[in-house]
Amino acid sequence: MANEMTFRIESKGEGMRSDVKSEKHSMTVDEPPNMGGEDTGPDPLTMMLSSLAGCENVVATMVAEELEFDLEGIDFDISGTIDPRGLQGVEGVRPYFQTVNIEAKVKTSESKERIEELQRITDQRCPVYTTMEAAGVELKSDWYRI
């Protein structure tokens, strides 16, 4: 398909730590000591929530431009819950997020209705958000003006 974009990383793992490189960037993913890691970087699920915040910000910025929406910035506070029994292999318990709560503080002069429109379109177009949604993660989102 001519319009496809490909994303690629390389990762070298040792114990719980993964040193990840993309074309121009590098990062470390690890677990805290209570999970067997050395806490040299964020854990994978925290990285996933970080990806959600970054993706929502990028898509909201694109959508705001299309809507001629006065967007000065967005601050996200995102949390997610899992049932650790899924990671331990307990049958019938999924190992990924049960719920994800998103609080978005939108820096704007726009109305509540326009903020809701920005959120709706952003959520429909954000690849990370829609991936979580497709997996059945309960997404609770509250966007408001500051």
Side-chain angles (χ1 to χ4, degrees):
M1 194 182 267
N3 291 328
E4 286 184 349
M5 295 173 66
T6 300
F7 297 84
R8 182 173 175 271
I9 60 96
E10 292 181 356
S11 177
K12 296 188 185 304
E14 186 175 323
M16 294 289 185
R17 178 183 172 137
S18 296
D19 292 310
V20 183
K21 293 185 182 198
S22 65
E23 186 178 327
K24 297 180 181 179
H25 305 282
S26 63
M27 64 202 96
T28 298
V29 180
D30 199 355
E31 290 286 346
N34 67 330
M35 292 291 292
E38 296 180 12
D39 206 20
T40 58
D43 64 85
L45 293 172
T46 299
M47 293 291 282
M48 190 172 190
L49 295 179
S50 301
S51 293
L52 175 59
C55 192
E56 288 267 281
N57 183 67
V58 166
V59 174
T61 300
M62 291 177 1
V63 171
E65 187 173 316
E66 292 168 14
L67 297 176
E68 297 181 2
F69 183 101
D70 171 37
L71 181 62
E72 298 171 32
I74 306 177
D75 296 337
F76 287 96
D77 184 353
I78 301 176
S79 62
T81 59
I82 67 162
D83 184 335
R85 296 175 303 158
L87 296 171
Q88 298 160 351
V90 173
E91 187 74 29
V93 180
R94 64 187 196 197
Y96 54 92
F97 287 113
Q98 309 292 315
T99 62
V100 171
N101 296 303
I102 305 163
E103 180 181 329
K105 299 171 212 148
V106 184
K107 299 173 194 167
T108 186
S109 62
E110 299 280 357
S111 69
K112 181 180 188 286
E113 292 75 23
R114 290 271 288 166
I115 293 170
E116 289 170 355
E117 179 183 26
L118 177 68
Q119 176 188 353
R120 180 181 53 77
I121 297 169
T122 297
D123 290 348
Q124 288 173 345
R125 291 172 46 183
C126 174
V128 178
Y129 184 96
T130 55
T131 297
M132 288 183 172
E133 188 175 51
V137 175
E138 182 182 343
L139 296 157
K140 300 175 184 173
S141 193
D142 183 23
W143 288 39
Y144 58 90
R145 182 177 60 199
I146 58 168

